[in-house]
Amino acid sequence: MKIRALLLTAVLALSLAGNAAYADSGLEKAGAEIKGAIEQEYKEYYADSLEAQKDNFHGTGKTSFHEATLGEGIPYYQLNVHDNSISHEMAGYKFPLYLEEAQVGVIEATLESGAWTIYNISNHNDFDNTVKRLEAEYAGKGTVELIDDKRYELDYLYINNEVNETYIDLTNEQNISPSEVRDAVSESADALNSMNRNSNEGAILVGGGHHAASSDGGHNSFITAIVLFGLSLVFAVPLVISAVQRRRASDVLQ
């Protein structure tokens, strides 16, 4: 009996350890409060827009986008390089958007002024399958994080266990060492800074979702007013000259 009890205890301990390892290894999920806030914002501000673009969001022949639902929110991160080290900064959550149980898009949410809000909605319809595959392949292999850094066009999966850490380029499934990632980010950052210094682009879109606004709207409005005033003068001067000439001709006939 004692031997049997010891065996059962050992099996239970191994089972709990395995479950704990799996729980720690999977991708994190957004809390219910965050998911609820994003779902409410979607229904209030974006459902009508997607309904008007049904064909572009894989909704042809399906029910209304007002009936769409959100899947689990997966956090995604950006990379910051400090000398010889790399840190991950959480950028937001990605929520798969479902219509009649089929994924039709991805909602990206970011934290703005202390509140989670929709930043972007794309028509990518394979995000949920990618997440399921990654979790199945890398379960129990350590901490797993999704890297989606649009600044440097990086789409990576990060895995960190007790032995080492590695990145997987999701575009070609190749393993990349931290040093290679650090070099790639540094080179991209230098190129991006150089491009910004040489850029003459004016308008910058600030924020996202229904909070979006142009940072130089007043400046553009002022320039537009000047241009319209100039055009009005161009058309008005010939009319004035024509009127004067007709008056002179009338005087001559009289």
Side-chain angles (χ1 to χ4, degrees):
M1 293 294 293
K2 290 183 178 180
I3 295 176
R4 183 179 180 184
L6 289 172
L7 288 174
L8 288 174
T9 302
V11 171
L12 180 60
L14 289 173
S15 176
L16 291 174
N19 289 336
Y22 180 80
D24 292 340
S25 66
L27 294 164
E28 296 179 8
K29 306 294 190 299
E33 184 177 352
I34 297 175
K35 180 180 178 180
I38 296 304
E39 195 159 25
Q40 180 178 353
E41 183 182 2
Y42 163 76
K43 291 182 181 298
E44 185 173 354
Y45 293 102
Y46 296 97
D48 286 339
S49 297
L50 266 67
E51 181 66 18
Q53 304 179 56
K54 252 189 169 181
D55 294 345
N56 295 331
F57 282 84
H58 316 285
T60 304
K62 291 184 172 63
T63 187
S64 169
F65 267 89
H66 291 86
E67 305 298 324
T69 58
L70 269 65
E72 296 293 340
I74 305 298
Y76 65 98
Y77 297 81
Q78 293 180 339
L79 299 180
N80 294 318
V81 174
H82 310 280
D83 296 328
N84 293 325
S85 64
I86 302 176
S87 64
H88 298 174
E89 179 183 358
M90 184 176 171
Y93 287 99
K94 289 176 176 282
F95 294 87
L97 184 68
Y98 297 102
L99 197 61
E100 295 183 0
E101 300 183 355
Q103 189 192 345
V104 293
V106 175
I107 293 178
E108 294 182 34
T110 57
L111 190 63
E112 294 183 10
S113 302
W116 287 97
T117 184
I118 294 176
Y119 170 75
N120 183 60
I121 302 179
S122 69
N123 62 356
H124 298 160
N125 62 347
D126 59 349
F127 178 69
D128 55 350
N129 291 329
T130 300
V131 169
K132 292 174 183 176
R133 178 177 62 82
L134 294 175
E135 288 190 318
E137 289 182 6
Y138 300 103
K141 294 186 178 181
T143 302
V144 180
E145 292 178 351
L146 186 64
I147 308 296
D148 182 8
D149 198 328
K150 295 178 176 60
R151 298 171 302 176
Y152 313 123
E153 298 183 351
L154 302 181
D155 190 12
Y156 291 165
L157 184 72
Y158 170 76
I159 304 173
N160 186 5
N161 53 40
E162 296 180 356
V163 179
N164 57 18
E165 58 179 349
T166 187
Y167 294 84
I168 299 175
D169 190 336
L170 296 178
T171 62
N172 53 25
E173 303 293 331
Q174 291 184 355
N175 288 7
I176 304 175
S177 68
S179 61
E180 291 174 320
V181 173
R182 185 175 60 248
D183 293 341
V185 170
S186 298
E187 291 175 3
S188 297
D190 291 341
L192 184 62
N193 290 334
S194 176
M195 180 179 66
N196 289 337
R197 284 194 300 269
N198 296 328
S199 175
N200 294 319
E201 190 174 15
I204 300 174
L205 194 64
V206 179
H210 60 282
H211 306 292
S214 177
S215 63
D216 65 344
H219 179 66
N220 287 340
S221 298
F222 179 70
I223 293 176
T224 301
I226 293 176
V227 172
L228 292 176
F229 179 72
L231 289 175
S232 66
L233 290 178
V234 171
F235 287 105
V237 169
L239 292 176
V240 172
I241 294 174
S242 177
V244 171
Q245 290 177 341
R246 285 198 299 270
R247 179 62 180 271
R248 289 178 177 175
S250 177
D251 293 341
V252 171
L253 290 175
Q254 292 176 357

